[in-house]
């Protein structure tokens, strides 16, 4: 049976080459739907896909090179123009300096102003930062003082180092040859500290004890020897500034300042700048005495029968005897009754132990080494109070042998003791007193020698 011109269903599509020995597959398809020459033409038409990727990469490389060229052009040509615009804006808006790009532009604009010192002079000057000052307020002051040349260079460094939160009021030492960055650092670290040392002089000290105290205080400019010499022999220049000390009722001519150095706590300036010296301290103590005692106490009424200097001397004895404030007037009254020679003490002798001890200490201090800080003051002599042999200059302090008050104060009294000496309790007619053992400073007072001796036995003396 034939179909389409007699070709059978299994006839080969193409006739084999009769001369070829290669066998032809009768079922091989070529042409439109086969992999024959048509397939090769299709690949040639669309090309290799790898060649397309290379073209994209070449295009991207071109863009990168173009961008780099643009940046180079901007850096070399346009950057000065950008800087000319941004730098003035940055100074009007300082917070813009926090942007690295803007900060770099400002640094470029300042140039060597950031590294140049104000001068070649290494002299250090004092610069004061007032409360509320900021870098902006300091810049013109620093320039006027010759510490900086360029305010903007200083302000730039101050911004970079965050000076504002570190800035404190005070005095600073700044050299004239610092760079702006050095000035910023100096305003933080070169503060001139006002170091002080506190020294306390308690009640009842004599001048030598005060000098000994000063020997133990380190770091001050107060010379203990100079202090003592000035107290014992005050200069005319010093006395001239305290007219009240020239009144002979207050301080007899030639007298020392013993008794006038007020017991208190004093703050001494130390360091290289305006330190407290010996004369400064003496003046501070005299000022404190006059301020606390007051002019009214210095003007003793005639009816009291004593000058202020005598009152001060009596007060110094009371200071050494009294422990309890409410006994001060009674103790002052005992000595006043003895001065007045009431019948029970017609001899008129004060018989005050502290005055004799003062004299004995004075003798011993002359023999002792200059290191008075090791001396034990106010100790009862081993051979007793009575019968001490003293040099003529100190004989008046032996109140067991010489009537009346000693010639000068023996210590610096408190206001309470001065008031007791101004208004002694003489109405009670007490002429003796004795310390009560384990009585916390209390005394037992008597009106007669017999009564006093009885109490001495009772207390085991």
């Amino acid at each position: 049976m034939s179909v389409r011109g007699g070709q059978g269903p299994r006839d080969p599509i193409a006739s084999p080459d009769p001369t070829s020995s290669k066998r032809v597959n009768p079922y091989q398809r070529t042409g439109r739907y086969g992999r024959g020459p048509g397939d090769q033409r299709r690949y040639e038409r669309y090309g290799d896909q790898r060649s397309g990727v290379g073209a994209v990469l070449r295009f991207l490389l071109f863009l990168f090179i173009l961008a780099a060229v643009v940046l180079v052009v901007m850096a070399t040509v346009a950057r000065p123009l950008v800087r000319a615009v941004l730098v003035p804006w940055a100074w009007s808006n300082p917070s813009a300096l926090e942007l690295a790009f803007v900060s770099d532009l400002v640094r470029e604009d300042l140039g060597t102003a950031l590294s140049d010192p104000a001068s070649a002079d290494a002299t250090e000057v004092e610069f004061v930062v007032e409360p509320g000052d900021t870098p902006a307020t300091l810049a013109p002051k620093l320039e006027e003082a010759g510490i900086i040349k360029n305010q903007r260079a200083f302000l730039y460094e101050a911004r970079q180092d965050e000076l504002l939160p570190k800035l404190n009021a005070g005095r600073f030492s700044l050299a004239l040859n610092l760079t702006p960055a050095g000035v910023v650092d100096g305003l933080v670290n070169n503060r001139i500290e006002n170091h002080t040392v506190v020294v306390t002089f308690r009640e009842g000290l004599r001048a030598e004890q005060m000098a000994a105290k000063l020997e133990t205080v380190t770091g001050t400019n107060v010379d203990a020897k100079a202090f003592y010499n000035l107290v014992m022999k005050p200069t005319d220049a010093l006395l001239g500034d305290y007219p009240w000390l020239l009144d002979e009722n207050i301080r007899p001519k030639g007298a020392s300042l013993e008794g006038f150095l007020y017991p208190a706590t004093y703050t001494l300036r130390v360091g290289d700048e305006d330190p407290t010296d010996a004369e400064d301290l003496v003046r501070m103590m005299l000022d404190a005495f006059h301020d606390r005692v007051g002019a009214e106490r210095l003007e003793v009424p005639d009816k009291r029968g004593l000058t202020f200097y005598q009152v001060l001397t009596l007060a110094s004895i009371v200071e050494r005897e009294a422990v309890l404030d409410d006994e001060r007037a009674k103790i002052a009254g005992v000595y006043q009754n003895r001065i007045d020679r009431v019948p029970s003490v017609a001899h008129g002798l004060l018989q005050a132990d502290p005055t004799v001890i003062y004299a004995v200490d004075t003798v011993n201090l002359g023999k002792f080494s200059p290191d008075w800080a090791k001396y034990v003051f106010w100790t009862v002599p081993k051979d007793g109070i009575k019968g001490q042999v003293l040099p003529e200059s100190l004989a008046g302090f032996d109140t067991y042998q010489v009537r009346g008050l000693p010639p000068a104060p023996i210590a610096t009294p408190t206001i309470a003791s001065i008031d007791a000496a101004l208004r002694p309790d003489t109405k009670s007619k007490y002429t003796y007193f004795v310390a009560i053992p384990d009585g916390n400073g209390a005394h037992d007072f008597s009106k007669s020698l017999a009564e006093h001796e009885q109490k001495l036995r009772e207390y085991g003396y």
Side-chain angles (χ1 to χ4, degrees):
M1 181 177 179
S2 64
V3 179
R4 293 184 180 244
Q7 292 182 351
R10 296 183 181 271
D11 288 343
I13 296 174
S15 299
D17 184 353
T19 63
S20 174
S21 61
K22 186 176 182 181
R23 185 176 178 173
V24 178
N25 187 352
Y27 297 101
Q28 181 181 4
R29 302 192 62 160
T30 59
R32 182 176 179 183
Y33 297 108
R35 291 188 64 180
D39 290 330
Q40 181 64 32
R41 288 192 299 271
R42 181 162 55 89
Y43 285 118
E44 292 176 355
R45 178 179 178 183
Y46 291 102
D48 192 341
Q49 291 183 356
R50 289 176 295 176
S51 65
V53 172
V56 172
L57 292 176
R58 287 192 296 273
F59 179 71
L60 292 176
L61 178 62
F62 168 75
L63 290 180
F64 176 78
I65 294 173
L66 179 62
V69 171
V70 171
L71 289 176
V72 171
V73 171
M74 289 182 64
T76 57
V77 179
R79 188 178 181 89
L81 298 177
V82 173
R83 187 172 64 212
V85 173
L86 289 184
V87 168
W89 171 75
W91 287 118
S92 300
N93 302 272
S95 59
L97 292 174
E98 296 178 4
L99 301 174
F101 177 66
V102 176
S103 179
D104 289 344
L105 291 177
V106 172
R107 177 177 285 276
E108 288 177 10
D109 187 67
L110 290 171
T112 59
L114 292 172
S115 58
D116 291 341
S119 74
D121 188 356
T123 302
E124 292 194 359
V125 298
E126 180 182 314
F127 183 78
V128 179
V129 176
E130 302 290 348
D133 267 337
T134 65
T137 62
L138 292 178
K141 298 178 186 178
L142 289 166
E143 185 176 26
E144 184 178 355
I147 299 172
I148 63 172
K149 287 194 305 184
N150 189 307
Q151 292 188 35
R152 285 190 170 182
F154 165 74
L155 291 172
Y156 176 83
E157 295 291 5
R159 184 79 185 188
Q160 294 301 105
D161 197 45
E162 298 182 353
L163 174 61
L164 182 58
K166 305 175 186 176
L167 198 60
N168 292 301
R171 296 179 298 116
F172 296 83
S173 178
L174 302 175
L176 297 175
N177 64 343
L178 293 175
T179 63
V183 174
V184 171
D185 180 73
L187 289 172
V188 176
N189 299 314
N190 290 5
R191 184 185 181 91
I192 300 174
E193 299 291 345
N194 289 324
H195 295 297
T196 59
V197 172
V198 174
V199 58
T200 299
F201 298 107
R202 58 181 175 80
E203 301 85 352
L205 299 183
R206 56 183 290 172
E208 289 86 353
Q209 282 181 281
M210 294 180 180
K213 173 75 173 181
L214 289 172
E215 287 180 349
T216 66
V217 180
T218 59
T220 75
N221 293 78
V222 178
D223 182 84
K225 184 176 180 181
F227 169 85
Y228 177 72
N229 290 339
L230 186 59
V231 169
M232 301 313 292
K233 294 183 178 180
T235 63
D236 291 340
L238 175 65
L239 295 173
D241 291 336
Y242 297 91
W244 52 277
L245 286 174
L246 299 176
D247 186 335
E248 293 204 11
N249 288 321
I250 296 175
R251 174 191 158 272
K253 187 175 182 179
S256 72
L257 299 178
E258 185 80 87
F260 293 98
L261 305 176
Y262 195 78
T265 297
Y266 296 92
T267 300
L268 311 180
R269 301 181 305 275
V270 299
D272 297 329
E273 184 178 346
D274 191 28
T276 301
D277 59 18
E279 183 172 339
D280 292 332
L281 178 56
V282 171
R283 288 176 178 272
M284 292 165 66
M285 300 180 81
L286 291 175
D287 289 338
F289 182 90
H290 188 269
D291 291 344
R292 306 291 177 82
V293 174
E296 184 178 350
R297 290 188 179 92
L298 294 175
E299 298 175 1
V300 182
D302 292 339
K303 63 180 182 179
R304 176 63 185 86
L306 300 176
T307 66
F308 179 79
Y309 194 68
Q310 291 172 318
V311 168
L312 188 66
T313 300
L314 175 56
S316 69
I317 300 173
V318 173
E319 188 65 43
R320 292 304 314 173
E321 293 277 23
V323 177
L324 306 178
D325 284 345
D326 59 3
E327 289 187 353
R328 293 180 192 273
K330 291 181 181 179
I331 292 174
V334 167
Y335 289 126
Q336 187 61 52
N337 286 333
R338 287 171 171 261
I339 292 172
D340 295 339
R341 297 191 188 187
V342 298
S344 61
V345 285
H347 51 71
L349 296 172
L350 293 188
Q351 297 178 328
D353 292 358
T355 65
V356 180
I357 296 174
Y358 174 87
V360 173
D361 279 349
T362 303
V363 173
N364 291 338
L365 286 169
K367 302 175 182 178
F368 200 72
S369 70
D371 190 3
W372 288 341
K374 296 180 180 179
Y375 186 79
V376 180
F377 292 82
W378 304 107
T379 301
V380 176
K382 293 181 180 180
D383 52 353
I385 294 294
K386 297 179 181 179
Q388 288 292 328
V389 178
L390 300 172
E392 185 178 351
S393 61
L394 295 171
F397 291 94
D398 188 350
T399 54
Y400 278 86
Q401 300 184 49
V402 179
R403 293 186 178 93
L405 290 165
I410 61 173
T412 298
T414 58
I415 297 297
S417 292
I418 293 175
D419 285 340
L422 284 170
R423 294 179 292 275
D425 179 5
T426 57
K427 294 181 180 180
S428 301
K429 302 301 180 181
Y430 292 130
T431 51
Y432 296 90
F433 62 90
V434 60
I436 302 174
D438 299 325
N440 296 320
H443 293 82
D444 199 343
F445 295 83
S446 302
K447 297 179 182 180
S448 67
L449 178 59
E451 182 184 1
H452 176 62
E453 290 177 342
Q454 175 62 32
K455 291 178 180 178
L456 288 177
R457 289 190 293 270
E458 291 176 359
Y459 292 129
Y461 288 98

